[in-house]
Structure formats: structure tokens, C-alpha cells
Amino acid sequence: MGKDKNYFLNEKPEKMTYGGVFRKINDWARARSLWVVAYGTGCGSIELRPTFTSRFDAERLGMRMVGTPRQADVLIISGYLTVKTLKRVIRVYEQMQSPKYVVALGACPINGGMYYDSYNAINRLDLYLPVDVWITGCMPRPEAILAGFKRLQELIDSGKADGWKKYIENLDWYRENQRKIIKNWRMPNYNW
Amino acid sequence: MMWAKIFYAFLALLGGIAYGLFLGGVSRKITARMQNRRGPTIWQNFIDLWKLFRKKTAISHGVMFYLAPMFRLVGGAGTFLLVPIVVGSPYLSNFSFGGDLIVLMYFMVLGCLGMALGAAESGHPHAPIGVTRGLSQMAGYELPFVISVVVLMVADKTTSIEGIVRAQQGGILHWHLFTHPFAAAAAFISLLGMMGSYPFQVVLAPQEIAIGPPTEYSSTFLSYMFSGRSVFAVAKYLLFMNLFLGGASNLLWAFVKTFVIFLWPLFITNVFPRFRLEQSVLFFWTWPSLLGLIDLVRIYLVR
Amino acid sequence: MEILDKLKEKFEILQSQEKREDLALVGTTEKDLIPLLVYLKEYEGYKTLVMISCVDWIEEGKFELVYNLWNPSKKHNILVKTKIPREAPKFQTIYKIWPQAEAYEREIHEMFGVDFEGNPTQHEELILEDWDDIPPMRRDFDTLKYSMEKFGEREPKSGIIIRKQISEQYDEWRRK
């Protein structure tokens, strides 16, 4: 790393506890202000454009797109995920600040979908990243996406969207799975 | 007496932040209605601020990286504290003093400079690009603004905001908006640049450099910057109210007048596309500056 | 078609066919291919290389390279084909004739393993990063088996909800 040492943390992040006095207010605010990182992995990202613009208007749920993972709360895996993209997705996910949530769109992240026998699309996303909400369909329409986000809001409100905690607790297990398919790991180990 | 003044100024600062956030929510709502959609609630910015404030952060980029959001907040709050809300009132005149207009023009740059230092240390390539563009843009809009402020100073023979407000008393036609219309036009056009909103949005520029300077900032840092930006906007509206709309005799008038000034960049923002950097700077150095110069020459001739 | 007749006089043509009004097909030997491409480019006005593709004839033990050329003035396409042996496939690069061929050859090298001699960038990875098997577009590559081995089964075996299975896997892994 050398010169880059300012930009990455090289120790494992400590386990973050979730609670405190303001827990209820925090959950309430987090559920109503979901910022989505503007990053599309597959064909599903085409459905996010109408979701976030005038036709379906996700902004009335308090959501908006931001152009940097540092400020975002939600990562949408939109459609099939190739090994090459998975590398980038892991980086984006780890650069996001806790608490963070993952929403998987479409059939491909669930079981491979129509790319189940493809040599470069992964079959199950939750071996590599913790997923909070699955939205089925190929592709899900914007209505389904909005319903999924409504579900995510309910989960956050009741404190059940804890994928980010699971990820830190079982980091070694996730790393093992990730390294199994990413042969050449040209990334820092803990780049929070 | 001094402590009471500090106390009231602090209250005014909190009110200013809240008012700025509220105006931000109103602007999001109006934008949404203009685009024929429902939009978020008016209180959305408060929710965003609370969420950002309570989000965890695990980024380290050095000392200046931590200080920059504070610079931003101090720049906004300091500007706010130098502008009197209600002139002559013992509670709401903040820390205005003779000659504060000159100090103010320096102070308005502070937030941008702190941001420049912090963004440069964050190491993201978009950040220095955004900062460079922001400073160039500042060189653009400062010229017409300074010209129109100099017009007011020369006309009223004072360098304090209070003096300028007192010179405008005695009816709506004594407002500088009507007595010096060209200087007012120049200043209000440069307000568009100061707000960094759409026709002159070269700093954040979502289509080109994603977020720009605050790319690496997250969570609590961002919440400081967010509130700093809100209070800075309110400070600018108050300053323009005092300079051109005759100040305010009570709090209600201050609300009404700042709200009217707030609507001006908002409506321009929603109907115009974006300039490139060089177009924007060239624009500021030609038309608004010429308008300001007309009034400057007029004042010397009339004298 | 006059262009086909001209080519037959000058080169060794194994196969020729007029597919459509604007599309002809020519098969030639490995040796004659590059002279033929140069001739088509310099004398007949087929200035544009549209693309290069590759076909795996596993029964014959051959790879077939297909060069698709376009004549903008006559609005005519021509496909030039040749077959090369499948074992240790090797061919000459044409990137000095058409620079855009570099990327196509790189892709064919990645997907079929054909070695284009003289192409400077063909060993860099284009789409597949860290590939660890035989080139995936060859017909003897079993993509389902590869996917099963690398990415796991399509369906969870017992049919329970994936989410629950994941937490069980955590526990299992912790016990180890």
C-alpha cells in the first residue's frame, strides 16, 4: 500500500454496537432518508431511472441518488452480477458508511436467473454480501421496486435490517467466499 | 450586556440553521411540484441532517480533512452573525458594527477556502477539480457583487450594514432596489452564482464530476457541511434584504423578505440548463459587471 | 458477380457464394487470406473492417476465422473465411492493415485461445479477469459444470429459505 495508507484502513473494523438513547429516532430518520448510490450492475439499473424521476418519484419516500458511496445508505444490486463487477461491488459496499443496506433486484442475484449456467455470472449474491431485501422479477417494474423499498423502510423502522452488522461479525466467512471466486485479490483487506 | 448579546446571537444562529433547512425543504417541494411530482415533505432536510449526524464514520484522511467541515460551518455561521436581522433591535442585530460590510466580504470566502484545503486532502480526483472550479467561479461572481456594494457604500457614505439600512428608510421607493436598480440587478445576478444553483452549478456539477469537493465526506462531516451551507444561504438572503430591500423592522418582515429573495434563485434554477465554467465566468465579467458599472458612473456624475 | 470472378482469377478460392444482393462470402486458404484482404482493401474499395469473428468446428478439428469487410461506395459486404487447425491455433495479426483489428483479435484470443502473432496487446485481459480455465467460447468447455463448481448450486438443496441457510452456514463455519 505504502503511499495509499491514508486512504485505507488496514485493521479489521471493530464490531459496531447498535443502540443508544436515540435509537428509535435514529431508526425513524434512517428509514425516511435513504440515499442510494448511483451505481448499476446489470440490466435492472434501467428500471431505476423511472423510479427516481417524475413518473414514479421515489423522492416522496425521502430517497435520492448520490454519486459517491461515502454518503450513501443503500446499495442496489440491479440484476446479474459478474465476477468482474462483484469486485467493484465489494469495494463500493465497503466504502459505504454504516449503517448500510443492500437491496437485490431481480432473479439473478437470488439463484442466477436466466444466467444460472453462465461462466461469469454469480449464482447467489448472499454468499458474498449480506442482503436485506430481495425484489423478485425479471426485471421488477418500478412499482415492485417501490414496494421493496417500503419493505426496507419497515425493516429499518423495526430495527431488523441488520445485514451490515452480520457482515462485520462474519467478515471472515464472507472473505473466504469472495476469495474463492476472485482469484487475484488486488484490493486492501479492510478498506472501510 | 455582552453575555446577553452572545446568548441572543446564539439563539438567532440556531434559528438561522433551522430556517435554512426549512427553506431547503421548501425548495425541494417547489422543484418537485414544477416537475409534476409530489416530492418529499418540507421537513425532509431535518430528517436528512439527523440521519447524517447519527451515521457512523470510519474514514481518516488527516487533520485538514476533519477541520474543513468546521471551517464550512464557521464560515456560514460567522457570516450569519455579522448580518443584523432586525436593525436597531437589541436582540436581533447580532454582532454588526461600523465597517462590517468589508469584513463580511472577506468572511464569505472563508468557508470556501476551508473546503478547498479539506477537499484537497481527501485525495479523490474529483475534489480538487471541483475546488478549482469553485474558486474560479468565485472570481467571476465577486466582481459584480463588489461593484454593486461599492456603489451602495459611495452613495450612502458608510461601510456598515446598519448605515445602509438606515439610508433606505422612509418608504418603499427609498429601497436601493429602486434607487440603484442597475447595481441591484448586478448583485442579484451574482447571488445566483453565490448560491451555486443551476445555471451556475459548476462546483457540484452532477453530470461531470458527480459530487465534486465533498466526494469523500460522509456522515457527521457532511451534516456539519450541510448545516453550514443552510445557514450561509440564510445569511446571504439577510444580507441582500438589508442591502437592497430596506432591512426589516420586525421578525415577520425579515421572514417575508428573505423568502421572496429565496424564490428568485429557485425559479431561475428550475428552468435553466447549466453553463460550463468558462461561460459562467465570462458571463459574470460582462453583463452584470457592466450593469454595476453603469450605476457607479451614474453616482459620480450625479455628485 | 464480378468481384467473385476477379478473386477467383487471382487467388485460390475454396468456396464462394452470393448470399444476398449486398453480401457475398468467400472461403480461402490460410496462406492466401492476408493478400486477399490487402487486395480487397487497396484495389476494390473494401475499406472498412466491420468485425472479426471465430467459429469452432470441433468435429473437423478446425477454427474458422471470419473477416467481415464493407465497401462504403458500393454498399457491399464481403465475408472472407479461412480455417486454421484447432490444436495450438495460430494466425497472423492484421492490425497493421486495420488498427481496430487489435481489439477483435484480443477478444478472440481471450474467448477461443487463438494466438495472433504480432498483436502487442492480445495477452491483456479484456472482459474476463483472472480466468483460470480453457477459453470459455470453445465448444468443449462445459459452462454449466464450471458454473456449478465455481458459483455453487442453483437451488438450495433442501428447499428451505436461502436466508435461513446462510445463518446456518455461519454457525457451521464458526464451529470449525
Side-chain angles (χ1 to χ4, degrees), chain A residues 6-7 9 16-17 26 29-30 32-33 35 54 57 59-60 62 68 70-73 97-99 192, chain B residues 28 35 37-40 44 48 50-51 54-61 122 211 214-218:
Chain A
N6 273 340
Y7 306 115
L9 299 182
M16 295 193 194
T17 49
N26 292 350
R30 276 166 193 158
R32 275 149 195 83
S33 160
W35 292 7
S54 291
D57 185 24
E59 203 184 357
R60 69 202 143 109
T68 158
R70 293 294 195 198
Q71 300 170 8
D73 308 301
Q97 301 298 307
S98 306
W192 257 257
Chain B
R28 278 172 83 170
Q35 294 169 357
R37 58 193 171 90
R38 287 189 58 185
Q44 185 62 47
D48 285 353
W50 185 256
K51 179 208 73 174
R54 297 293 295 175
K55 218 164 142 66
K56 296 172 197 305
T57 186
I59 310 169
S60 71
H61 285 306
S122 80
I211 299 276
T215 308
E216 278 289 305
Y217 283 97
S218 66

Side-chain angles (χ1 to χ4, degrees), chain C residues 148-159:
Chain C
M148 289 282 216
E149 277 170 11
K150 195 165 178 185
F151 307 120
E153 299 284 326
R154 177 176 188 176
E155 306 290 346
K157 271 172 200 153
S158 52

